[in-house]
Amino acid sequence: MSARSTAVLAVVGAGPCATGLLERIAANAPELWDETRRLHIHLVDPYPPGPGRVWRHEQSALLRMNSMAQDVTLFTDESSTLDGPIRPGPSLAEWAAQFSGRGPRHAPYTEPADPEVLDELRTLTGTDFPTRRAQSAYLDWVFRRVLAEMPPSVTVEWHRTTATALTGPPDGPQQVHLAGRAAPLTADLVVLAQGHLGSTPAGEHRAHAAFARRHGRFHLPPEFSADADLSGLRPGEHVVLRGFGLAFVDLMSLLTEGRGGTFRTEADGSLTYLPSGREPVLHVGSRRGVPYHSKTHYRLQGPPPPLPRHFGPEAVDGLLAEGRPLDLRRDVWPLMAKEIGFGHYHELFHAHPERTTMPWPAFLAAYDRLDWYSDAMTALVAGAVPDPADRLDFEALDRPLDGLSFPTPDAFQEHLRAYIAQDVARREDPAFSADLGAFLALLSVYGHLPRLVASGRLTARSVADDLDGWWHGFFSFLASGPPGFRLRQLLALSRAGIVRFLGADVRIATDESTGTFTATSPTVPGHLTRATALIEAYLPAPSLARTEDPLLRRLYREGAAAEEVIADSTHTHRSGLLAVSPTDGRLVDPSLGGPHPRRIALGVPTSNRAVAAFARPRTDAPAFRRNDAVARTILRTLSTTGAGAAPSDGEPPGAVPAAEAGILQGRG
């Protein structure tokens, strides 16, 4: 085939987001791609295709996923509602079973090179929480399987470097400029799929960094845990950590077990921490003042709840039909809450009917008629569910320390240890499987929000305060917590005095006279904690203006990309997200006054508000629907777009036919 017969796609980023897109390209190509024409795909990423940076193998073996192995897949299934074909594949647990002989082999079969990872996979069960290295091996295999499923006319080439710039007219070929290479890649279409991005510190973090430099102290701004340099923390040094989510859990592990400490299991099943003497002392606080809820460690005891029921396509249609600005907390959340409540009570009534006072059909008939926050709903639940522990109270869940104060720090330590122990016990006890029903409904709600958000009908204040603020945090707090064993380790570290709890609404300040960071909380009035180190224990917030990604930074500075701005008559909200078209993800180019016809952006940093690149099986994952729609758009567009340059612009191609599933050669 001649160069003019080749269409060229460039994908910047080669992690799970890009892998999911390639899987959908492979699935849709038989229908939408002319096999007589070549399609060449450039992947640009300094990290290996499949895992990418976040899930790369080269990170601490202490770092784990917060999902069970049976709950991780990159493949569509019978629940998927999309236009392209469904191509099932194994979950992480099903894929791992082949290495112990408990399951069939999955082509292309290759054992992971790391013997520790292979040993883990051989013993991995569906309810285990795998290491990130195990997930890295799975993602590597998914990528190689995707290559094997590409038609012979499609080739894929990996460039092991960083994309530094993107140029080209809206009506012509695009140039992707690469670090360490003079000649750019030329493509007909470009997809930006960089995934989670770092950003330079915001104003408060810069001030704290300057304070630390003046006084010879340690400061870590928001950072990805696997990338953080913690070597500057001294044994016994007092450290304040602001943030009590997954980033904190990772940092806790790296600064304790990662420094040689060990956990001993006692006869009663509790853990005791045996320090190495190299640990710092960790003082942790946050807005809520409590850690994320533990992940459930059981299966549903009853039949799966038929979702959605109260917040699905029809409910979204009804909201949009009202033809007015929407407030998420006032107009949308009551429907979301009712859907989550449906999942909770469906499991309670079906799996634990002895703890209810009426038949499920009678309860459901009344439940369907009533508003979530109505007095009648409160009375219905109180009458049908005698034990308050079986009822769903979002406000109590959201702010468990509200209205509480403690006379001494030690009194608060005891209270929070009891709270954490109760949470772990509940999430590991199938008697409380209603929590899993609520979790599944929560995932369903999350999957139906994007269309409402894309409509532009939420007010600017509601997007800022409710969607990007409260809802994102509340969802993570309930659904994205650590495995139970991590919270048992936290309890052991607390009893050992290595971790100290600060409380809710923690406030950080600096004291120039002593050169220390200070932390206070209304949970323990009048108590002040001093520390010589401060860690912001959460991920960097999205910010196109402060992004560390060189390509996006240059597009923004040149006026070829914009941050999302939502404005109405009373508020203006700059989300920090990369503005894209809500319908097809095309990059909004201010110089064009609208979407760029040859540039698409997917994933975490975009205004379409990222959905996870991989998902729980049989949940009609939004990411799979998005990838399918974008893949079909790409194939249709490239079918009618003038051909770009030949692979590598005439250089030795360095690419293999995807159907051969060979190992790709990276170009530096």
Side-chain angles (χ1 to χ4, degrees):
M1 298 179 186
S2 68
R4 296 300 300 166
S5 68
T6 300
V8 180
L9 171 68
V11 181
V12 180
C17 179
T19 301
L21 177 64
L22 292 181
E23 191 278 330
R24 289 289 84 200
I25 289 175
N28 283 284
E31 174 192 350
L32 299 177
W33 189 250
D34 179 358
E35 285 294 303
T36 66
R37 188 180 182 201
R38 286 184 60 193
L39 169 59
H40 188 72
I41 301 174
H42 293 288
L43 289 180
V44 182
D45 198 319
Y47 295 96
R53 178 173 67 90
V54 171
W55 299 100
R56 67 190 187 271
H57 176 267
E58 288 75 19
Q59 57 185 298
S60 171
L62 291 172
L63 300 179
R64 289 182 178 260
M65 303 188 72
N66 69 323
S67 295
M68 292 188 289
Q70 66 190 14
D71 292 338
V72 177
T73 187
L74 263 77
F75 297 103
T76 53
D77 54 42
E78 68 277 8
S79 72
S80 302
T81 54
L82 33 79
D83 293 329
I86 291 172
R87 286 194 173 183
S91 68
L92 170 54
E94 292 166 338
W95 173 78
Q98 66 185 321
F99 299 111
S100 62
R102 291 177 288 115
R105 287 196 172 189
H106 298 282
Y109 179 84
T110 303
E111 292 186 350
D114 187 329
E116 291 185 3
V117 172
L118 183 58
D119 287 345
E120 177 187 356
L121 294 173
R122 284 172 172 161
T123 60
L124 191 69
T125 70
T127 56
D128 286 337
F129 291 86
T131 66
R132 294 185 194 170
R133 288 179 172 180
Q135 172 71 344
S136 181
Y138 174 64
L139 293 173
D140 171 75
W141 172 80
V142 172
F143 178 76
R144 289 186 288 109
R145 167 166 159 160
V146 168
L147 293 183
E149 292 182 338
M150 288 285 188
S153 60
V154 180
T155 52
V156 181
E157 180 180 3
W158 171 36
H159 303 267
R160 192 171 190 167
T161 186
T162 300
T164 58
L166 173 58
T167 59
D171 58 351
Q174 304 296 292
Q175 285 77 43
V176 180
H177 301 260
L178 306 181
R181 173 173 165 171
L185 303 175
T186 299
D188 299 301
L189 285 180
V190 176
V191 175
L192 304 181
Q194 291 99 317
H196 290 277
L197 301 174
S199 57
T200 58
E204 181 188 18
H205 303 142
R206 292 196 299 271
H208 286 155
F211 174 85
R213 286 192 297 271
R214 285 197 303 275
H215 295 279
R217 305 307 193 188
F218 181 93
H219 174 257
L220 184 71
E223 178 63 278
F224 297 95
S225 303
D227 300 331
D229 181 3
L230 305 173
S231 60
L233 291 172
R234 303 184 302 275
E237 182 171 14
H238 287 261
V239 185
V240 166
L241 295 96
R242 177 161 51 180
F244 219 159
L246 296 181
F248 164 76
V249 171
D250 288 345
L251 292 164
M252 175 190 81
S253 299
L254 294 171
L255 290 169
T256 55
E257 282 187 287
R259 292 199 169 189
T262 57
F263 292 96
R264 183 180 66 208
T265 302
E266 306 296 350
D268 62 358
S270 65
L271 297 179
T272 298
Y273 184 68
L274 307 176
S276 69
R278 297 167 53 209
E279 303 89 345
V281 179
L282 310 179
H283 302 265
V284 57
S286 66
R287 185 177 66 86
R288 287 187 184 86
V290 299
Y292 282 9
H293 280 288
S294 169
K295 275 293 184 71
T296 56
H297 202 264
Y298 42 69
R299 300 174 185 269
L300 288 176
Q301 306 300 295
L307 303 168
R309 187 175 182 90
H310 298 287
F311 189 75
E314 291 183 3
V316 174
D317 288 342
L319 289 166
L320 297 181
E322 295 183 17
R324 62 180 177 86
L326 298 172
D327 180 283
L328 187 137
R329 292 295 289 267
R330 180 194 66 209
D331 302 316
V332 187
W333 166 246
L335 296 174
M336 298 162 62
K338 191 173 179 180
E339 179 80 341
I340 301 166
F342 169 73
H344 177 94
Y345 292 118
H346 183 278
E347 173 66 8
L348 180 69
F349 275 76
H350 285 83
H352 313 287
E354 71 281 1
R355 305 212 299 268
T356 66
T357 64
M358 66 172 64
W360 170 249
F363 177 84
L364 182 61
Y367 185 92
D368 283 345
R369 293 194 306 268
L370 301 175
D371 294 333
W372 177 259
Y373 285 108
S374 66
D375 291 340
M377 179 69 86
T378 302
L380 171 69
V381 172
V385 184
D387 189 346
D390 287 331
R391 302 174 196 160
L392 194 56
D393 184 337
F394 291 110
E395 285 65 39
L397 283 171
D398 193 17
R399 295 300 299 253
L401 296 181
D402 270 9
L404 299 179
S405 63
F406 299 85
T408 65
D410 286 344
F412 176 54
Q413 309 308 302
E414 290 296 330
H415 172 85
L416 198 56
R417 282 198 287 265
Y419 168 90
I420 295 170
Q422 183 182 39
D423 179 63
V424 174
R426 181 180 177 109
R427 294 301 181 102
E428 295 184 347
D429 185 351
F432 294 101
S433 62
D435 290 353
L436 180 54
F439 171 79
L440 294 175
L442 191 73
L443 294 183
S444 176
V445 163
Y446 193 83
H448 291 287
L449 265 179
R451 186 162 70 93
L452 183 66
V453 176
S455 73
R457 296 287 288 282
L458 290 174
T459 67
R461 186 211 57 78
S462 192
V463 172
D465 297 343
D466 300 333
L467 181 69
D468 291 346
W470 168 77
W471 166 250
H472 175 74
F474 186 57
F475 177 87
S476 299
F477 176 59
L478 288 185
S480 295
F485 77 87
R486 286 297 194 207
L487 292 185
R488 289 196 296 274
Q489 291 177 346
L490 174 61
L491 289 173
L493 290 166
S494 172
R495 290 190 293 266
I498 301 296
V499 172
R500 299 283 292 176
F501 306 125
L502 293 171
D505 295 315
V506 67
R507 295 289 181 266
I508 306 297
T510 55
D511 185 341
E512 292 286 352
S513 64
T514 60
T516 56
F517 296 100
T518 63
T520 57
S521 165
T523 304
V524 188
H527 179 69
L528 181 144
T529 297
R530 293 187 180 275
T532 52
L534 171 64
I535 293 176
E536 304 292 355
Y538 48 89
L539 297 181
S543 174
L544 184 59
R546 294 185 289 104
T547 181
E548 292 179 342
D549 183 87
L551 184 152
L552 289 176
R553 184 169 62 243
R554 182 165 173 177
L555 286 177
Y556 178 71
R557 291 175 179 175
E558 293 176 348
E563 283 191 331
E564 177 194 47
V565 178
I566 301 173
D568 54 32
S569 59
T570 59
H571 288 81
T572 298
H573 172 49
R574 302 185 70 92
S575 68
L577 298 168
L578 177 66
V580 298
S581 166
T583 56
D584 56 14
R586 293 187 189 269
L587 189 68
V588 173
D589 187 333
S591 67
L592 301 179
H596 195 292
R598 291 175 179 257
R599 300 174 183 174
I600 297 171
L602 297 176
V604 174
T606 71
S607 59
N608 278 344
R609 284 170 175 75
V611 288
F614 44 84
R616 192 184 182 105
R618 291 171 291 283
T619 56
D620 190 16
F624 301 166
R625 301 200 302 265
R626 175 206 65 192
N627 288 342
D628 188 71
V630 172
R632 292 175 71 85
T633 295
I634 288 171
L635 291 170
R636 287 190 175 114
T637 301
L638 289 175
S639 294
T640 58
T641 300
S648 300
D649 294 347
E651 296 180 13
V656 296
E660 295 177 12
I663 300 301
L664 298 183
Q665 295 178 348
R667 289 184 179 276

